[in-house]
Amino acid sequence: MADAADWRQYLTASERYDNIEKLSKVLAVAGLNQSAFAIENEAYKTAGSRQEYETACSLPTSTPEPRLPSPEPAGPEEDDREPSSPGIPIGDYGNCHYVASGVTAEVYRSQARALKVIVETHGIEPHNPQREAKILSALRTANAPNIIPLLETFHDHDQRFVLVFPYMPLALSHIIDRHKPRSPLPSPLLRTIFTGFFRALNHLHAQNIIHRDVKPSALLLSSPSPSSPTQVYLSDFGTAWHPTLSLPSEPASHKILDIGTGPYRAPETLFGNRAYGPAVDLWAAGTTLAECLLLGKTLFESRPAHEDGNQLGLILSIFQTLGTPTRETWPEAVGFRTPPFEMYRVFEGRVEREGWQGVLPGVEDEGWRELVAGLVRYESGERVTAGEALDFPCMKGEGNGDEA
C-alpha cells in the first residue's frame, strides 16, 4: 500500500478517467451544473492519501447509482434522420444537436458535420486534442485512406477548441449490437469493414504512427449494408502516438503504458514494455475481429480500471485463453520491466486444448479464425501486419463457406 507521500505515482490515468466518468454520470442524473473534471482534479491535488482521494471521488450516498437506458440501436434510417427540434449554434455552425460526450469532449451534429467540442482543457496525457488535430491534418494532406478526415478546427465564442468531421451515423459497435446474439457478422460485411480498417492501419504504421485505442466504437461507417457503397473510417485519434509530435512528452523508448481500452489492450503494455510499437494496434484489431465473430462477446474479459487497477483480471483472461506464456513463446518479454514468467499460475489455454475452432465456434470461413490467430499473438514481431492482413484469402472472398 502506498503511503500518503507517494500515492499519486500509483494512480493511473485510466483510474482518474474512470472516476471522472463516474462523477459525470452522477452529476448529470442529479441535474447539477458542475464539472466532474474539476472535482476530480481538486481531489487529486488536495487529498493527503489514496483513501481521501477515492472518498472525494466516490458517489454521494444520497445520490443513486445512475442507470442509463440501453435502447435497441437505431436503424440506419433513424441514425441518419435530422432532429426536428431546434439546435444550438457552435461557431458558424447552426442547429447543432448533442450526440454524445466523453471525459474531455462533447460531440454535436450539424447536418452532415460532426463537431467535437473540447470541454476540458486540462487534459491528462496521453489525451491531447491539439496533437490529435495536427496528426489528422497531416494525414488528410497525405490523402490517408479510411482515416476520418478533419475538415477544420476553430475556437467557439467560449474559446473552446472544436474539431469538425463528416458525420457518420454508425460505428462497428452498433453493427455488433444489432447482430448479437443471433449470428456473427456476414463475411461480405466483415470484408468491407476490415478492408477499410487495415488500409487505415497500414498507412499509419508505415508512418510509425500508433493509434493506441483501436476498438469497435472507433470504426465509423456510413451504412451497415455491404450491398450499398459504405465508407469506413478509423477515428478517435485523441491518444495517438506520433514519431515527432509526441516526442516532447513521450520518447519512443519511454511511452505511456496506460493506453487502450479494457479487453483490447495489448499484453506488452500490461507488463511494462514502454518501447512498444504499432503492433499494439494489431493485437487490438484481432480482438475487435474476434468480437465480430463471437456474437458481441469480447475475446478477453476486463473490468474497469477503478475495479482492477493492476488489470490482473485481463491478464488472467489472456492466459486462460492463449495459455501462460514462456520464454520460448514470448522471448521479447524477457526484457520487459515486469516479465510475465514464474509469477503467475500456469494455465493451459483454451487455444491449446480446443484450437481456435473451440474459441471461435460457428464461423463458416476458417480464414477469419486464421486471421485472428495471426493477430492475437504474444510476440509482437510475429503478429500479422495490416498489409499482410489485406492479403488473407478471407479478405478477398476466397475462403471456404463464404457468402455470395
Side-chain angles (χ1 to χ4, degrees):
M1 176 66 72
D3 58 32
D6 64 1
W7 67 270
R8 290 179 183 83
Q9 68 177 295
Y10 296 96
L11 184 67
T12 68
S14 289
E15 290 171 307
R16 293 190 66 185
Y17 272 107
D18 275 350
N19 278 328
I20 293 170
E21 288 181 337
K22 186 167 58 176
L23 284 165
S24 296
K25 292 177 182 178
V26 172
L27 293 169
V29 168
L32 298 176
N33 187 23
Q34 294 176 261
S35 168
F37 193 98
I39 294 172
E40 186 280 337
N41 199 40
E42 182 67 18
Y44 180 79
K45 291 189 296 184
T46 61
S49 67
R50 176 65 178 267
Q51 184 175 359
E52 288 183 18
Y53 166 80
E54 294 293 350
T55 299
C57 293
S58 63
L59 303 177
T61 54
S62 60
T63 305
E65 177 76 31
R67 297 184 180 275
L68 301 181
S70 301
E72 286 295 316
E77 295 83 3
E78 296 176 49
D79 290 324
D80 245 346
R81 190 171 55 199
E82 277 284 331
S84 57
S85 58
I88 63 171
I90 300 177
D92 292 333
Y93 291 84
N95 201 30
C96 299
H97 292 265
Y98 174 82
V99 174
S101 62
V103 175
T104 62
E106 296 175 350
V107 178
Y108 293 82
R109 178 186 180 182
S110 177
Q111 297 182 342
R113 297 289 180 259
L115 280 66
K116 180 177 180 179
V117 182
I118 307 303
V119 296
E120 297 294 354
T121 57
H122 300 89
I124 304 168
E125 285 288 351
H127 297 262
N128 189 318
Q130 300 288 343
R131 185 171 61 223
E132 175 185 8
K134 291 178 181 177
I135 291 173
L136 287 170
S137 294
L139 289 170
R140 189 180 186 205
T141 300
N143 294 316
N146 299 101
I147 292 172
I148 191 74
L150 177 64
L151 303 177
E152 66 168 312
T153 63
F154 63 90
H155 287 85
D156 68 3
H157 64 281
D158 291 325
Q159 291 305 302
R160 298 178 303 180
F161 188 51
V162 182
L163 296 84
V164 182
F165 303 96
Y167 176 74
M168 291 284 115
L170 293 166
L172 176 56
S173 53
H174 300 143
I175 305 298
I176 293 173
D177 284 342
R178 289 177 183 178
H179 279 262
K180 72 178 184 183
R182 297 185 299 275
S183 63
L185 272 66
S187 283
L189 180 56
L190 281 176
R191 221 168 13 252
T192 296
I193 295 170
F194 281 85
T195 295
F197 183 18
F198 286 122
R199 282 175 178 166
L201 287 183
N202 193 42
H203 183 90
L204 290 180
H205 295 172
Q207 315 300 317
N208 203 26
I209 299 171
I210 314 173
H211 185 279
R212 300 204 295 190
D213 199 15
V214 166
K215 54 190 175 184
S217 62
L219 277 170
L220 304 182
L221 294 86
S222 61
S223 166
S225 173
S227 61
S228 60
T230 302
Q231 294 174 299
V232 179
Y233 288 129
L234 179 60
S235 67
D236 291 353
F237 280 76
T239 62
W241 187 87
H242 189 279
T244 56
L245 296 173
S246 299
L247 285 183
S249 59
E250 283 187 85
S253 61
H254 201 75
K255 301 184 188 79
I256 289 173
L257 292 171
D258 194 16
I259 60 163
T261 298
Y264 314 100
R265 294 188 66 190
E268 54 265 41
T269 66
L270 301 174
F271 291 99
N273 178 24
R274 291 185 176 274
Y276 60 81
V280 298
D281 292 342
L282 300 171
W283 174 281
T287 57
T288 296
L289 175 56
E291 189 170 340
C292 294
L293 304 173
L294 283 169
L295 310 181
K297 181 182 178 182
T298 57
L299 182 60
F300 305 117
E301 297 178 3
S302 173
R303 298 192 301 276
H306 69 270
E307 296 179 9
D308 186 10
N310 58 13
Q311 295 290 287
L312 181 59
L314 175 57
I315 291 170
L316 291 179
S317 182
I318 293 173
F319 286 5
Q320 289 167 345
T321 304
L322 301 184
T324 303
T326 66
R327 287 174 171 81
E328 291 71 36
T329 59
W330 199 7
E332 70 177 334
V334 173
F336 290 176
R337 186 179 68 180
T338 310
F341 314 119
E342 300 171 6
M343 296 173 56
Y344 298 90
R345 173 183 166 189
V346 175
F347 292 94
E348 179 189 18
R350 288 186 62 201
V351 170
E352 297 170 293
R353 295 194 312 271
E354 309 168 22
W356 280 102
Q357 295 89 342
V359 177
L360 300 173
V363 179
E364 293 185 2
D365 186 347
E366 180 65 22
W368 294 116
R369 289 198 193 98
E370 293 175 356
L371 183 50
V372 171
L375 292 162
V376 183
R377 296 188 178 189
Y378 284 122
E379 186 75 4
S380 65
E382 294 180 357
R383 292 173 198 158
V384 169
T385 68
E388 291 168 344
L390 289 168
D391 287 331
F392 265 60
C394 60
M395 295 291 292
K396 298 175 179 294
E398 300 171 0
N400 296 325
D402 197 11
E403 300 179 23

